[in-house]
Amino acid sequence: MGDTKGNPTLDPKDWDEFRKDAHALLEDCIDRMQNAGDHPWQPVPEDLQETYAIGQGGDVMARLRDEVMPYHSGGTHPRFWGWVQGSGLATDLTAGLVTAVMNSNAGGRNHGSNYMERAVLDWTRQQMGMPESASGVLVTGTSQATVVCFAAARVRALGAASRTAGQGDAQLICYAGQGVHNATRKAVELLGIGSDNLRFVPLVDGKIDPQALTAMIAEDRAAGKQPFLIVGTAGSVDLGLFDDLNALADVAEAEGLWLHVDGAFGAWTRIADEPYRSLSDGIGRADSIALDYHKWMYVGYDCGVALVRNEGEHRAAFAARPAYLKGSTRGVASGDPWFCDYGVDLSRGNRALKVWMALESFGPEAFGEAITYNCTLAKVMADEVSRHNAMALSRDPVSNVCVFSANGSLPAEEQSALNTEIAITLQESGEAVFSTTMVDGVEVLRAAIVNHRSTEEDVRQAVQAVARLAAS
């Protein structure tokens, strides 16, 4: 596209031609979004990597339509319910255009992206019930947000000197329930705490048992270890379960520990209708929360949030300003605080714009209605499963997750094989995407409904497809 003779610019040689091609591509993109139900996930051709090999050139705009867009990850389709994968929004398209034009580095300095991020974070903080003094930062997702929050918790436990001297002889202990998001394990490993020091607390009715937790804390202290962190779950990955966050907050206050809530998708029940809103009661008492916009707020990838109750503790874990990052009271280098002082990234894209545009375009109430409807669809799916004599519901849905077996009368091993084969067959046919998980020793079909395009008819057709394959 660039003219390398004389002025080696990478701008288009012919802006008029670029404008025409871009307009045509925009129409194709809008068509695909409008007709997302016609474009399910499809198997990738064996030679696709060769197709993408660098240096082939050609009509790149046409290649985007023919060779790139067809092979998406599937989440845009209304019957995609695997792996808590968000569905995206039409506003992502227009926000993406403006984001590309602005090309903002939201790590710091004085420009509009940082002010927009503060507005988005402030709204998020309010929905979660955290105080005005809380701080936050937009990150890639809950995995990165968890590292940010745990790092702040560690500085509180060991003091600011731990940033330079390390943990020394301290054996920090973290507590979580079985089924906690894998981000917790990764975070304690990345921070050098070690996953051997992540203790799993027994569950009662799908929730961490506060009495067992208190006993484990006392046991570890007696052994010379240093308990520092409790991880509560708002929406478990496998089953959509919620801990009693008020009970965990009581234990954390009594024991002087940091309470973190993994709210990757379930934190957003805070804006849903009852009975789903009350599932996350107590979340505002947490010292930190990790959650995603790209899951149950439907915004395009990637966009997660780390919220920390105490701004000073958050900043103490990350602030570092070498000479070349010195701020000022005027000019481009003004605009404190800078977001690079609250996380691991200095170079950061403008994630806030797509969130801001979605909320401003549709209104927060629309997202609450969509989240509530997703939970309703999980119950509709459970009802449909119960109408088929051979199928077996593995658990009653608590929120937006439905798990079931295509034939509950078979031995566990045969059930697992059948469910796995049905999941893959439906994925390959484009009819529906279920994932699988283990419940009571059986690999079962799992639908995690975080898709604003899904309808009751989608649910009925998908369950009927499962029944058809099970019978065959």
Side-chain angles (χ1 to χ4, degrees):
M1 294 178 70
D3 180 3
T4 57
K5 295 180 180 179
N7 178 17
T9 179
L10 294 175
D11 281 334
K13 292 180 181 178
D14 187 333
W15 278 103
D16 289 336
E17 181 182 359
F18 177 79
R19 185 186 305 271
K20 180 187 69 175
D21 290 342
H23 276 292
L25 181 63
L26 177 61
E27 290 294 332
D28 288 334
C29 290
I30 293 173
D31 285 345
R32 289 188 70 90
M33 297 193 90
Q34 183 178 0
N35 302 296
D38 296 335
H39 302 286
W41 177 88
Q42 58 180 300
V44 174
E46 292 184 3
D47 64 347
L48 188 62
Q49 186 159 340
E50 296 175 17
T51 300
Y52 293 161
I54 302 300
Q56 299 183 61
D59 187 343
V60 179
M61 293 291 196
R63 292 179 65 192
L64 288 174
R65 289 188 294 269
D66 301 335
E67 300 171 0
V68 176
M69 286 196 288
Y71 304 112
H72 56 92
S73 61
T76 54
H77 192 272
R79 289 194 292 279
F80 190 103
W81 305 309
W83 302 282
V84 197
Q85 186 167 318
S87 48
L89 297 166
T91 48
D92 296 332
L93 180 58
T94 43
L97 289 172
V98 176
T99 298
V101 170
M102 294 178 69
N103 192 31
S104 300
N105 180 351
R109 306 180 182 89
N110 198 355
H111 54 97
S113 299
N114 293 329
Y115 293 88
M116 182 171 285
E117 183 162 344
R118 290 170 199 158
V120 168
L121 288 167
D122 190 54
W123 182 84
T124 307
R125 172 194 63 75
Q126 293 178 53
Q127 306 318 303
M128 296 301 122
M130 292 193 107
E132 189 173 350
S133 57
S135 63
V137 62
L138 295 181
V139 292
T140 56
T142 287
S143 294
Q144 187 180 1
T146 303
V147 174
V148 169
C149 295
F150 285 15
R154 182 173 62 177
V155 168
R156 179 203 276 182
L158 299 179
S162 62
R163 288 186 59 179
T164 52
Q167 293 180 196
D169 295 331
Q171 186 176 358
L172 297 177
I173 305 296
C174 171
Y175 305 89
Q178 287 287 354
V180 72
H181 196 293
N182 191 48
T184 290
R185 181 186 181 95
K186 284 189 174 183
V188 295
E189 291 177 348
L190 285 168
L191 290 169
I193 295 164
S195 53
D196 285 348
N197 295 315
L198 170 60
R199 296 197 64 188
F200 293 110
V201 186
L203 304 183
V204 176
D205 296 329
K207 307 174 191 296
I208 286 178
D209 180 356
Q211 291 183 330
L213 171 61
T214 300
M216 292 169 70
I217 293 169
E219 175 188 330
D220 287 331
R221 282 184 171 144
K225 301 174 184 178
Q226 185 173 348
F228 85 113
L229 174 66
I230 300 169
V231 180
T233 294
S236 65
V237 177
D238 279 347
L239 301 174
L241 304 178
F242 288 71
D243 282 321
D244 183 339
L245 300 179
N246 275 313
L248 296 185
D250 289 342
V251 175
E253 288 180 10
E255 299 291 343
L257 304 189
W258 182 290
L259 174 61
H260 172 77
V261 174
D262 182 332
F265 68 94
W268 290 111
T269 54
R270 294 317 293 159
I271 65 173
D273 296 339
E274 293 294 1
Y276 306 109
R277 176 181 168 83
S278 60
L279 290 170
S280 50
D281 282 354
I283 195 170
R285 297 175 63 189
D287 293 289
S288 60
I289 308 171
L291 64 158
D292 289 325
Y293 265 99
H294 60 226
K295 287 190 173 75
W296 223 357
M297 286 294 281
Y298 314 108
V299 168
Y301 285 90
D302 55 34
C303 189
V305 186
L307 291 175
V308 178
R309 186 177 196 82
N310 186 312
E311 185 273 342
E313 291 177 329
H314 188 182
R315 185 182 177 89
F318 293 100
R321 292 282 190 94
Y324 65 87
L325 292 179
K326 181 181 178 181
S328 68
T329 58
R330 297 171 52 209
V332 177
S334 61
D336 270 335
W338 291 9
F339 283 108
C340 63
D341 289 334
Y342 297 89
V344 298
D345 295 325
L346 174 58
S347 298
R348 306 172 62 248
N350 181 6
R351 297 186 177 96
L353 179 55
K354 58 189 171 186
V355 178
W356 178 86
M357 189 161 185
L359 291 169
E360 289 294 280
S361 297
F362 305 118
E365 298 80 8
F367 289 90
E369 292 171 1
I371 290 166
T372 302
Y373 185 58
N374 283 164
C375 294
T376 300
L377 290 181
K379 290 191 177 298
V380 170
M381 184 175 289
D383 291 342
E384 289 296 310
V385 167
S386 298
R387 289 192 178 95
H388 292 267
N389 292 332
M391 291 187 190
L393 196 63
S394 304
R395 291 287 189 278
D396 289 327
V398 171
S399 52
N400 64 323
V401 179
C402 183
V403 286
F404 65 98
S405 181
N407 189 331
S409 65
L410 297 174
E413 187 175 343
E414 293 181 32
Q415 281 191 61
S416 297
L418 176 65
N419 293 328
T420 301
E421 182 61 28
I422 286 175
I424 295 172
T425 299
L426 290 177
Q427 292 166 14
E428 292 177 336
S429 71
E431 291 177 84
V433 172
F434 294 92
S435 57
T436 62
T437 193
M438 296 297 294
V439 178
D440 298 331
V442 177
E443 190 164 356
V444 297
L445 294 164
R446 170 179 168 274
I449 305 176
V450 289
N451 194 318
H452 66 91
R453 299 184 179 100
S454 301
T455 66
E456 292 189 23
E457 184 58 26
D458 288 316
V459 167
R460 293 190 180 97
Q461 288 185 19
V463 174
Q464 190 58 45
V466 172
R468 184 191 75 239
L469 291 174
S472 68

